[in-house]
Amino acid sequence: MSSCPACLTDAIEEFLSYQQGVRCLSANTLAGYSNDLGKLTTLLDGQRPVDSVTKEDLRYCMGELTMKGSAASSVNRFLAAVRSLFAYCRRFGYIEINPALEIHTVKQPKQLPKFMTPSEVQELCAAPEKTSLLWEARDKALFQMFYSSGCRVAEMAGLTLEDFSQDLSSAMVRGKGGKDRRVFFTPTASSALKEYLSQRQQKLLCSGMDTAKEPVRSLFLNNQGRALTTRGIRYILSRYSGVEGTNNPVSPHAFRHTFATALLSNGADVRMVQEMLGHSSISTTQRYTHITTAQLVKTYNQAHPHGSLEGQVPSMAGEDGNAGDC
């Protein structure tokens, strides 16, 4: 075997450096790895040799996390991080056998992704104008662009002015794994964006920032004229979907689920939707067919004369609709 890191903690540090420097993983992904592998060193002795960790040790860790109330999805994410760590160690000859390979994931409750109805989307997109909670033009553009493009929150936060087509009808975004794709915006979203861009320029002028020396590349800004972060976007949406707004709390990802559901419900080809969402696997996109099927069943049971009686068509919620990584 190759020269092994002195201990488990050293192996984790080397693994994280490799993921950042060689694989160029995002800051969010690295933070997730660091958090989960930190649990490993908390539950086991971080100073023990990495090649001394057994599958029994890992089963103990998963059992402890479960006993402490961690959700099945969190335990499985922990296992995925551990598997990646030991696969790295096996690849570079630090261990002979990956102890995580024989560990099975915890069974998760099957859930369909949460999405909004057309009326709920309309109400939320109108909330900035009706409530005047924060920055109306920015927030209206933000919501319209989320709904018409299916972008992830990190993709939206990462948009710059240079990413857009001249007519603002599309933009290039960088998705998971550093993959670029083009997303599209409806005329309504493009119009809202134009209105925001006018105010954006005024905001920068009023902030006193020297944009010639320090240009602000980010599309969406906060009230101080700085780049809006993913955390800031979540805060904005929480205000408008909370008690001050629609009183129907949703996350930015609900826009993405709604986008996919709307396309499939209206006959879009699943492979085209896969491309628009930037999914590497079509099985991830196919989860949304369960949503549309469930909606058909619900509509049937509500509309058919005997739908409310015994023997109605069963719900599809029990199908494999696990949200997974989308």
Side-chain angles (χ1 to χ4, degrees):
M1 291 192 295
S2 301
S3 177
C4 183
C7 61
L8 185 59
T9 300
D10 291 341
I12 291 173
E13 183 177 346
E14 182 181 310
F15 167 77
L16 293 175
S17 296
Y18 175 84
Q19 300 302 325
Q20 180 180 28
V22 178
R23 296 194 61 202
C24 301
L25 296 186
S26 69
N28 286 340
T29 302
L30 289 170
Y33 270 132
S34 180
N35 179 61
D36 286 320
L37 295 176
K39 295 175 184 176
L40 181 66
T41 58
T42 298
L43 293 166
L44 301 179
D45 180 6
Q47 298 305 308
R48 66 186 291 178
V50 67
D51 58 359
S52 71
V53 178
T54 66
K55 60 184 178 182
E56 287 75 20
D57 292 325
L58 300 181
R59 288 190 179 120
Y60 161 78
C61 292
M62 293 179 68
E64 283 294 300
L65 292 174
T66 302
M67 290 293 291
K68 291 178 180 178
S70 294
S73 58
S74 298
V75 176
N76 288 337
R77 190 184 63 237
F78 165 82
L79 177 58
V82 170
R83 281 175 174 168
S84 295
L85 168 67
F86 285 104
Y88 168 85
C89 292
R90 176 69 184 87
R91 177 183 177 185
F92 288 97
Y94 299 156
I95 58 176
E96 293 182 353
I97 299 175
N98 184 341
L101 290 180
E102 296 183 39
I103 310 297
H104 298 293
T105 56
V106 178
K107 188 173 182 180
Q108 296 181 229
K110 295 176 180 178
Q111 298 177 342
L112 293 174
K114 182 177 180 180
F115 67 101
M116 293 177 278
T117 64
S119 60
E120 288 172 339
V121 175
Q122 185 176 3
E123 182 183 17
L124 184 55
C125 288
E129 187 175 0
K130 287 184 176 180
T131 59
S132 301
L133 286 175
L134 300 169
W135 184 350
E136 180 184 323
R138 177 199 63 189
D139 303 336
K140 182 180 178 181
L142 181 65
F143 294 170
Q144 290 286 356
M145 290 171 66
F146 262 129
Y147 181 46
S148 65
S149 68
C151 281
R152 300 177 177 93
V153 63
E155 293 168 349
M156 191 65 74
L159 280 172
T160 68
L161 297 177
E162 292 81 7
D163 294 326
F164 284 82
S165 62
Q166 189 172 2
D167 61 358
L168 303 179
S169 65
S170 67
M172 292 296 295
V173 298
R174 173 149 292 188
K176 289 187 175 181
K179 297 178 181 177
D180 293 335
R181 76 179 189 283
R182 183 166 293 278
V183 297
F184 302 92
F185 305 106
T186 63
T188 301
S190 297
S191 176
L193 178 56
K194 289 176 184 176
E195 182 180 350
Y196 160 67
L197 288 176
S198 175
Q199 295 189 17
R200 177 186 183 276
Q201 183 62 28
Q202 288 298 118
K203 176 73 71 174
L204 289 173
L205 291 173
C206 294
S207 69
M209 297 179 65
D210 188 347
T211 54
K213 291 184 177 179
E214 189 179 351
V216 180
R217 299 182 65 248
S218 295
L219 171 65
F220 287 109
L221 308 179
N222 60 24
N223 284 322
Q224 286 72 49
R226 298 184 178 87
L228 190 63
T229 63
T230 57
R231 183 176 181 180
I233 292 175
R234 291 190 176 94
Y235 170 77
I236 291 168
L237 185 53
S238 71
R239 290 287 301 274
Y240 287 109
S241 65
V243 293
E244 299 169 284
T246 63
N247 200 26
N248 180 29
V250 293
S251 70
H253 224 64
F255 276 111
R256 186 167 162 84
H257 295 323
T258 304
F259 168 83
T261 305
L263 291 178
L264 290 171
S265 296
N266 287 286
D269 180 80
V270 67
R271 291 198 177 274
M272 295 299 293
V273 177
Q274 176 191 0
E275 290 294 322
M276 285 186 264
L277 291 172
H279 287 159
S280 58
S281 171
I282 196 170
S283 62
T284 307
T285 315
Q286 286 174 329
R287 294 175 302 109
Y288 296 104
T289 62
H290 293 301
I291 297 178
T292 55
T293 303
Q295 285 301 103
L296 286 173
V297 171
K298 182 179 179 181
T299 301
Y300 174 87
N301 287 330
Q302 290 176 342
H304 193 279
H306 293 175
S308 61
L309 303 179
E310 291 185 12
Q312 64 181 350
V313 178
S315 169
M316 303 298 290
E319 289 197 13
D320 185 11
N322 186 10
D325 180 14
C326 52

